Amino acid sequence: MKVRDKQLDAVKGFAIIIVMLGHCIGRNNMNDPYINDAIKAIQMPLFMMVSGYGLGMGKREILDIKDFLNQQKKRVVSYLLPFFSWVFVVSLFRPFDTIQNPIVESYKVLFKIDSGLWFLMTLFLIQFFAMLVTLLANVGVFHWKKSNRGVHHLLIFWCGIGMVYVLFVLWGRAGSTFLGPSFAVQYMPFYVIGYVASHYIKEVFPQNGKKILWVLWGISLVAFLGLVVGFDLQSKENVMELLIQMTASLLGSFVCFYGVYHLPVKGKYGLAFIGLYTLEIYALHFRFVDLLGFKNMGLEVYTFEGMVAILITFLVMSVMSGIIIYYVKKVWLLDLILFGKIRTSNVKDEKR
């Protein structure tokens, strides 16, 4: 039986909270050059890093093609089923005179995945190739001596993942938008970093290496804040700006991941609980941002009215999402279709 990593759940919970806060600010037209930049630099890269970390923890289970296919079956249900089911829901629950053909919309969304739950499709693509490369690495080191397997496994993995990344780059440069290769190019590095860190961090840093990591954490925090204050992290007009943005995302994601992961145990219970429902919250919360009409009021973040609007929006999103999640969970078929959750004898062990 798998034992959940509550620290990892806590990081997921923290990540979805900052996603919600980002929508409270951005979708209410309260764009801020500091808070908004910091949130956008971290939110999706952090999710990718967490997902990669989870894969790295269980990579030794992918030993043959059967293991690989079994893992992919689970992720088709977890990622692709909700991706397409929400296209159907949104298409059908429009005003009567604007109802769209869900099959046609499902085809269209493949060429513009950001019109749907793009993160799920991007995560599926990245993990598919990462697991495939992992399988090849596991098979490739099978005949090596145990003492040398770690190094050779990492070498094969990096070579394979590098070729996959080049594939995504060429895919995007060819002008194709099918399955959103540009998203894979942007977020795959964070997934891979999380993957490698989950298994090799103990080999790179010995038992007393935590002090070194906390020093790196402090340096990363200062550097991240400096980049947030000194640069526009939402501009990607040239390669230098893209590199600055990626650097800020890497530093900020490490600060949040390592900091939240090592919070005192009692401080993580609430975040870990929220982390069990990140996909559900991700699919629902932003649909309630505009209910109160704050976006047309010209509010500013650093005012009393702006902060109240952010708080109220966050509470409304949380309550509405929570109510829907609660009732959907009572119907196993809806839970499967909308959230990709398969009911088992031990549900908590499957929520990963």
Side-chain angles (χ1 to χ4, degrees), residues 4-182:
R4 292 197 62 87
D5 186 338
K6 291 185 178 180
Q7 289 94 328
L8 204 59
D9 286 334
V11 180
K12 292 180 183 178
F14 176 83
I16 197 63
I17 286 175
I18 64 173
V19 169
M20 294 173 71
L21 286 174
H23 284 149
C24 289
I25 297 171
R27 288 181 175 245
N28 280 326
N29 293 330
M30 293 189 286
N31 291 315
D32 173 78
Y34 304 117
I35 296 178
N36 225 31
D37 274 17
I39 290 175
K40 287 192 174 183
I42 294 172
Q43 54 186 10
M44 291 300 116
L46 180 58
F47 266 123
M48 284 294 178
M49 192 175 286
V50 171
S51 299
Y53 192 93
L55 172 65
M57 292 172 64
K59 72 179 187 303
R60 292 190 181 279
E61 298 176 2
I62 311 171
L63 301 176
D64 54 37
I65 192 66
K66 184 179 179 181
D67 291 333
F68 173 77
L69 292 176
N70 286 336
Q71 292 285 356
Q72 292 313 302
K73 288 177 185 176
K74 295 177 183 178
R75 281 157 178 78
V76 165
V77 175
S78 299
Y79 303 151
L80 296 189
L81 182 57
F83 177 82
F84 287 108
S85 66
W86 280 101
V87 175
F88 269 67
V89 171
V90 173
S91 299
L92 295 175
F93 282 84
R94 292 176 180 271
F96 183 77
D97 58 340
T98 61
I99 290 179
Q100 299 170 338
N101 186 327
I103 297 177
V104 173
E105 291 304 305
S106 295
Y107 175 76
K108 288 181 179 179
V109 78
L110 293 176
F111 295 88
K112 192 179 180 183
I113 65 171
D114 57 343
S115 62
L117 301 177
W118 66 267
F119 177 77
L120 296 179
M121 178 60 76
T122 300
L123 181 56
F124 178 81
L125 277 179
I126 293 175
Q127 68 78 33
F128 177 89
F129 285 104
M131 283 193 174
L132 183 60
V133 172
T134 298
L135 170 61
L136 296 175
N138 284 337
V139 172
V141 301
F142 182 77
H143 297 290
W144 288 92
K145 293 180 179 179
K146 287 187 176 181
S147 59
N148 296 326
R149 285 183 183 179
V151 175
H152 289 102
H153 187 283
L154 190 58
L155 180 62
I156 296 172
F157 177 80
W158 275 114
C159 290
I161 216 70
M163 289 188 286
V164 170
Y165 192 72
V166 171
L167 170 65
F168 281 129
V169 171
L170 295 176
W171 186 351
R173 288 290 180 88
S176 174
T177 60
F178 182 65
L179 301 184
S182 61

Side-chain angles (χ1 to χ4, degrees), residues 103-313:
I103 297 177
V104 173
E105 291 304 305
S106 295
Y107 175 76
K108 288 181 179 179
V109 78
L110 293 176
F111 295 88
K112 192 179 180 183
I113 65 171
D114 57 343
S115 62
L117 301 177
W118 66 267
F119 177 77
L120 296 179
M121 178 60 76
T122 300
L123 181 56
F124 178 81
L125 277 179
I126 293 175
Q127 68 78 33
F128 177 89
F129 285 104
M131 283 193 174
L132 183 60
V133 172
T134 298
L135 170 61
L136 296 175
N138 284 337
V139 172
V141 301
F142 182 77
H143 297 290
W144 288 92
K145 293 180 179 179
K146 287 187 176 181
S147 59
N148 296 326
R149 285 183 183 179
V151 175
H152 289 102
H153 187 283
L154 190 58
L155 180 62
I156 296 172
F157 177 80
W158 275 114
C159 290
I161 216 70
M163 289 188 286
V164 170
Y165 192 72
V166 171
L167 170 65
F168 281 129
V169 171
L170 295 176
W171 186 351
R173 288 290 180 88
S176 174
T177 60
F178 182 65
L179 301 184
S182 61
F183 288 104
V185 171
Q186 184 175 357
Y187 294 111
M188 189 174 182
F190 303 100
Y191 189 96
V192 173
I193 289 170
Y195 169 88
V196 174
S198 67
H199 187 70
Y200 294 100
I201 194 71
K202 291 181 180 179
E203 297 180 19
V204 176
F205 295 96
Q207 288 293 328
N208 59 356
K210 286 187 176 181
K211 293 182 179 179
I212 300 174
L213 286 170
W214 277 115
V215 170
L216 291 175
W217 183 89
I219 295 172
S220 298
L221 175 61
V222 173
F224 172 70
L225 294 176
L227 291 174
V228 169
V229 173
F231 297 93
D232 179 2
L233 298 183
Q234 298 184 49
S235 177
K236 304 177 186 176
E237 294 183 0
N238 53 59
V239 175
M240 181 56 68
E241 288 183 343
L242 179 61
L243 289 175
I244 291 173
Q245 185 187 70
M246 294 283 281
T247 301
S249 296
L250 176 59
L251 293 172
S253 297
F254 168 66
V255 167
C256 293
F257 191 118
Y258 195 78
V260 175
Y261 196 92
H262 291 87
L263 281 174
V265 175
K266 290 184 179 180
K268 288 184 286 200
Y269 285 149
L271 289 176
F273 176 77
I274 295 171
L276 295 175
Y277 302 97
T278 50
L279 188 150
E280 292 89 336
I281 297 171
Y282 166 69
L284 287 168
H285 77 279
F286 64 92
R287 306 178 193 279
F288 307 110
V289 176
D290 301 331
L291 284 181
L292 302 176
F294 289 128
K295 69 177 183 179
N296 300 317
M297 296 176 63
L299 299 174
E300 299 290 336
V301 174
Y302 303 109
T303 63
F304 176 76
E305 294 83 359
M307 292 183 180
V308 170
I310 292 171
L311 177 60
I312 293 176
T313 302

